[in-house]
Amino acid sequence: MTLSDESLSAIRGMFTSMLAEQVLPDLPVETREVAVPSREQGRTIRCLMICPSTMKPCAPAILQFHGGGHVMGAPEMNQAQLMQWAAELDCLVLSVDYRLAPEIPFPGPMEDAQDALRWLHGKAHALGIDNDRIAVAGQSAGGAMAACLALMTRDEGEIQLAFQLLEAPRLDDRIREGALANPFTGKFVWTRQSSAYCRKAYLGEGNSSPYASALRATELTDLPPTFIAVGALDLFVDECAEYCGRLLRAGVPTEMIVYPGCFHGFQMAAKAQVTLRSHRDSLNALKKALIE
């Protein structure tokens, strides 16, 4: 998969076809689309809401963001995993169909993320959730958005997040090259070339805002407890390790798991033992943060 202006449309189409063919688990949950109001009058944000068929009152909630390099993807990419979260945690999951670059670059997608969080928090009573137990979660570009949203939310001071779960998150707008580059990463599936294309599509010639790339933040205190998961061969492993270290030095309760031999997107091998393990690890982290 080589991303470019010429190939992007075809690759998006390929993902759409794959999603149409996926087999979802048989679980006691209900899935529906909701239209969340945006800050722009007359425009709504499509979201996928997944709830247990009989959800207990004051349930926790997870606001989730899909991956795709900010240029492709949809909430349905993670639907099977999100259904499992809703069923096993007895929680509401809201996955955001945020706008994509290059058509809508930063800050547009982050505005969608922020609007979705404000809606979820504001509608807590009507939705039957506990607005003190809202977590943010995301994979890859979605992990970037979850981490940035946690920073935005902390700085605004109006909403207190309970947890952030970051799976293979893109945390830095700078791609490490030369002597700074890890020679074992970025070789499989998600290469430096593809990552550079997506970062330019999302950020243009560059953007040092921590709301675009969380590793740019100078202060990490008072962020919610954090779980980071990434493969050892993933292009993002070094920035994840750096962010983990900085979170720990800022006093933020943080757990990080590195999966040996795993590249970016390894969970596409749905039946691999390491994929099943990674899903259990994420589920257990959410359970400890929101239930136990």
Side-chain angles (χ1 to χ4, degrees):
M1 182 175 65
T2 302
L3 282 163
S4 67
D5 288 338
E6 293 73 28
S7 67
L8 181 57
S9 178
I11 292 174
R12 284 175 172 174
M14 177 188 71
F15 269 87
T16 301
S17 299
M18 289 171 60
L19 291 176
E21 297 173 0
Q22 69 176 330
V23 178
L24 297 174
D26 182 16
L27 292 170
V29 299
E30 298 176 356
T31 302
R32 63 186 177 97
E33 291 188 11
V34 294
V36 172
S38 79
R39 65 191 67 193
E40 300 171 18
Q41 188 173 4
R43 186 178 70 83
T44 59
I45 306 161
R46 186 182 80 94
C47 295
L48 200 66
M49 181 182 289
I50 305 173
C51 300
S53 300
T54 54
M55 189 172 73
K56 296 177 183 177
C58 286
I62 303 168
L63 183 67
Q64 193 267 351
F65 303 96
H66 66 80
H70 299 289
V71 302
M72 57 188 172
E76 288 79 5
M77 286 173 57
N78 307 112
Q79 189 170 343
Q81 182 183 19
L82 303 185
M83 290 171 67
Q84 184 183 21
W85 289 358
E88 297 205 25
L89 300 175
D90 190 34
C91 73
L92 181 151
V93 181
L94 188 72
S95 186
V96 184
D97 194 9
Y98 55 87
R99 292 170 292 171
L100 299 174
E103 293 86 351
I104 306 295
F106 175 83
M110 285 307 305
E111 291 173 350
D112 291 349
Q114 193 174 39
D115 290 346
L117 176 59
R118 288 172 176 167
W119 179 84
L120 184 64
H121 186 270
K123 289 285 187 180
H125 180 73
L127 294 171
I129 63 171
D130 180 357
N131 61 13
D132 289 326
R133 289 193 292 161
I134 297 177
V136 292
Q139 291 182 340
S140 191
M145 294 179 67
C148 292
L149 184 59
L151 288 164
M152 296 172 76
T153 304
R154 178 205 62 182
D155 293 347
E156 286 195 336
E158 297 176 4
I159 299 173
Q160 185 73 38
L161 291 172
F163 191 62
Q164 59 176 338
L165 184 141
L166 313 176
E167 296 180 308
R170 193 278 299 159
L171 298 170
D172 200 353
D173 60 300
R174 297 154 292 189
I175 298 177
R176 302 171 192 217
E177 304 284 357
L180 297 176
N182 184 330
F184 298 103
T185 64
K187 304 291 186 182
F188 304 104
V189 180
W190 199 250
T191 63
R192 285 175 172 79
Q193 179 184 353
S194 290
S195 199
Y197 171 79
C198 291
R199 295 184 205 204
K200 185 174 182 179
Y202 183 56
L203 300 173
E205 296 303 320
N207 192 307
S208 60
S209 169
Y211 303 153
S213 301
L215 202 58
R216 290 282 194 172
T218 57
E219 181 58 67
L220 299 183
T221 56
D222 299 322
L223 285 171
T226 303
F227 176 83
I228 302 172
V230 66
L233 305 183
D234 195 310
L235 181 63
F236 304 148
V237 65
D238 291 285
E239 55 203 71
C240 286
E242 182 177 346
Y243 200 60
C244 176
R246 290 185 56 204
L247 285 167
L248 291 170
R249 290 194 295 274
V252 177
T254 305
E255 179 180 5
M256 178 172 170
I257 297 179
V258 179
Y259 298 99
C262 289
F263 46 81
H264 194 79
F266 71 89
Q267 292 172 329
M268 289 186 290
K271 296 182 180 180
Q273 287 300 309
V274 69
T275 296
L276 299 177
R277 177 196 159 194
S278 72
H279 287 327
R280 288 195 302 271
D281 290 339
S282 293
L283 184 66
N284 288 337
L286 289 165
K287 185 179 295 184
K288 285 189 292 185
L290 299 176
I291 307 298
E292 296 176 356

